């Protein structure tokens, strides 16, 4: 529940602290004093869209802070911790600021968080009812949600099983429809793949083969030049044809070595040079030997081999251009294409299996939907009976609420049912949909009666009602106050009201007070007790807070509310 709400610079409220706490809190005040800003403030704390227009004129930002008492081991506390927030024992602090430029910042448990986190916490913390919710109650979705809340865990479990089967059926059916519609296209794709893969398998390219063939073609195309150059180099290094006549590098190096060696004993600087010349001679001799080996391996008649290489290169080039843009890509396509072909070739079996699965799922969906319908029908009878009894106590003694379950044309995530809540205003009248036959005041009482009944099976920690008594007066207003007090026995109830008959039943009465200095209007909140509360009640009754008769009537009404049994 909400312990305290602090508002700064929101609408006409400059600064106000609302002590709330358990039970029934009534919020009253003059028209324009800012009563609805209390609901707006709660909406901001629960993730509503930020509106720069709610920032008090002339101020840079508005801020709202709420202090809740929650279960430290509950789902709300777990979500707060997931968002990085902390709790102080059972106490949770939520905050929201809105700048005059429309920027918004949320705080959850002392840590900044997206406003979406506040929205996640909303349903577990507060249920807000206002004039817009009366309109919402006219929709089939809202009526179905109300019935499902009342039906409780049994329906929730059955609906969960149904939704699991429904989503699986939908997924299988979508895949089946896709495969069936694309069957001819996929068959053509499979045939094209077979041709392409057969060609690649026939050519049988190997990784890096194109590079290797390019190098071989370059060598084979220049064999004669290679042979002549290698022979010339070998002769210059070490002549084999005329070893005695032609000077070569090896002979010259050996002559130089011998010349120095003869005089090396006369100068210590020469022996290292002699050794270096000897090593150089050995290196040149080795190179000459390697060139001889190279020449022995050069096939002068490499034309036939070159032709074969060029043919293979052309074959690989055509394959790369036609199918993949490169040899490596062609080899990769061989693997991925084979996997894709297996998938396409399995279409017939896949279609057959999906058809069987979809048929079985549809049968299961039909069975589970019938279970959901049965539970809703039973809950609808009970809800209608209990709400009708509540309406009698809310000065609608002849009214009767009926819940009608009709079959939809097709299955949906919510089942096969169209839920309609009908109101029969008096005996003999034709039951009519709430959106067609109920006034604003009647909708207010129907909504309250439904919440009172549903809260017995699906309790909510806090209810906020924004002028739920609109369009209601007299005895009906008293009964609304009585029912709100009854609801407050099991939940925290906060009501923004303009009726003394409703406020009289509150255990905590807050008044939004408007002050004016001639140019700026600001509002604050006071907690009323004793004579101050009686004066506010008199103002609500007659518009005259100082009227003696009004004060007497106010005290009489408060005594009635405090002493009357709540049934």
């Amino acid at each position: 529940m909400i312990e305290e709400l602090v508002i700064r610079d929101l609408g006409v409220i400059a600064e106000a602290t609302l002590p709330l706490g358990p039970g029934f809190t009534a919020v009253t005040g003059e028209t324009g004093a800012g009563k609805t800003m209390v609901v707006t403030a709660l909406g901001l704390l629960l993730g509503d869209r930020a509106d720069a227009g709610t920032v008090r004129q002339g101020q840079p930002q508005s801020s709202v802070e709420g202090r809740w008492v929650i279960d430290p081991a509950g789902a709300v506390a777990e979500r707060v911790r997931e968002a990085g927030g902390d709790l102080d024992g059972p106490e949770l602090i939520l905050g929201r600021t809105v700048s005059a430029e429309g920027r918004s910042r949320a705080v959850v448990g002392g840590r900044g968080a997206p406003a979406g986190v506040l929205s996640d916490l909303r349903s577990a913390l507060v249920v807000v009812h206002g004039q817009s919710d009366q309109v919402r109650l006219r929709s089939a979705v809202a009526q179905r949600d109300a019935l499902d809340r009342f039906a409780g865990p049994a329906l929730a479990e059955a609906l969960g099983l149904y939704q699991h089967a429904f989503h699986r059926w939908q997924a299988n059916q979508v895949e089946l429809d896709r495969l069936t519609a694309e069957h001819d296209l996929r068959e053509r794709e499979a045939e094209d793949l077979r041709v392409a893969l057969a060609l690649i398998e026939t050519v049988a390219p190997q990784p890096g083969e194109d590079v290797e063939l390019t190098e071989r073609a370059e060598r084979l195309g220049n064999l004669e030049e290679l042979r002549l150059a290698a022979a010339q180099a070998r002769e210059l290094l070490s002549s084999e044809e005329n070893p005695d006549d032609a000077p070569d590098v090896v002979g010259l190096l050996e002559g130089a070595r011998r010349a120095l060696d003869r005089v090396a004993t006369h100068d210590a600087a020469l022996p290292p040079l002699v050794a270096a010349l000897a090593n150089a001679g050995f290196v040149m001799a080795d190179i000459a030997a390697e060139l001889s080996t190279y020449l022995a391996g050069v096939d002068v008649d490499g034309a036939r081999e070159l032709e074969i290489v060029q043919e293979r290169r052309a074959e690989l080039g055509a394959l790369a251009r036609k199918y993949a843009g490169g040899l490596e890509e062609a080899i990769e396509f061989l693997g991925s294409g084979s996997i894709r072909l297996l998938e396409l070739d399995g279409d017939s079996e896949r279609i057959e299996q999906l058809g069987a699965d979809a048929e079985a799922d549809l049968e299961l969906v039909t069975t589970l939907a019938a279970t959901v319908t049965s539970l809703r029908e039973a809950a609808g009878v009970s809800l209608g009976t209990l709400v009708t009894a509540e309406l009698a106590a809310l000065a609608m003694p002849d009214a009767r609420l009926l819940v009608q379950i009709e079959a939809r044309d097709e299955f949906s995530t919510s089942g096969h049912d169209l839920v309609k809540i009908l109101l029969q205003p008096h005996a003999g009248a034709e039951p009519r949909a709430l959106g067609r036959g109920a006034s604003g005041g009647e909708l207010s009482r129907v909504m309250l009666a439904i919440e009172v009944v549903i809260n017995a099976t699906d309790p909510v920690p806090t209810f906020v009602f924004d002028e739920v008594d609109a369009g209601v007066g007299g005895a009906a207003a008293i009964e609304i106050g009585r029912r709100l007090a009854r609801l407050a026995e099991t939940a925290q109830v906060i009501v923004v009201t303009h009726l003394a008959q409703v406020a009289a039943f509150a255990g905590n009465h807050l008044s939004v007070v408007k002050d004016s200095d001639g140019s700026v209007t600001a509002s604050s909140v006071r907690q009323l007790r004793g004579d101050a509360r009686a004066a506010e009640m008199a103002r609500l009754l007659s518009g005259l807070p100082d009227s003696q008769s009004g004060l007497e009537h106010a005290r009489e009404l408060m005594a009635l509310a405090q002493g009357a049994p709540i049934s």
Side-chain angles (χ1 to χ4, degrees), residues 248-334:
D248 57 33
V249 172
V250 173
L252 293 172
L253 288 172
E254 177 59 22
R257 184 194 67 77
R258 286 198 298 267
L260 290 180
D261 188 49
R262 286 195 297 270
V263 295
T265 55
H266 304 307
D267 190 341
L270 292 179
L273 296 177
V274 172
L277 286 170
N279 288 335
F282 295 148
V283 170
M284 294 302 104
D286 288 343
I287 294 175
E290 289 181 11
L291 285 172
S292 296
T293 302
Y294 175 79
L295 283 167
V298 172
D299 183 3
V300 178
D301 187 18
R304 177 56 186 159
E305 184 182 358
L306 177 60
E307 182 181 351
I308 295 172
V309 168
Q310 296 292 29
E311 288 177 358
R312 179 62 174 171
R313 289 181 69 200
E315 189 177 37
L316 292 177
L319 177 68
R321 288 191 300 273
K322 187 171 185 178
Y323 291 104
L327 188 62
E328 297 301 323
E329 287 78 5
I331 295 172
E332 290 179 7
F333 181 73
L334 182 63

Side-chain angles (χ1 to χ4, degrees), residues 170-187:
Q170 287 290 89
N172 285 337
Q173 190 63 51
V174 167
E175 179 69 4
L176 176 61
D177 292 343
R178 184 184 69 82
L179 289 178
T180 302
E182 297 177 358
H183 185 259
D184 292 342
L185 181 63
R186 291 165 71 88
E187 277 196 339

Side-chain angles (χ1 to χ4, degrees), residues 2-6 17-21 65-68:
I2 312 171
E3 280 285 337
E4 186 177 77
L5 188 65
V6 179
T17 299
L18 284 71
L20 298 172
E65 184 178 282
R67 183 160 54 89
W68 265 262

Side-chain angles (χ1 to χ4, degrees), residues 329-344:
E329 287 78 5
I331 295 172
E332 290 179 7
F333 181 73
L334 182 63
S336 61
S338 299
I339 295 173
R340 175 61 174 166
L341 185 59
L342 286 174
E343 178 186 336
L344 294 172

Side-chain angles (χ1 to χ4, degrees), residues 232-239 248-251 284-285 287-288 291:
Q232 183 180 6
R234 185 198 60 190
E235 286 298 314
L236 290 172
L237 289 175
S238 177
S239 177
D248 57 33
V249 172
V250 173
M284 294 302 104
I287 294 175
L291 285 172

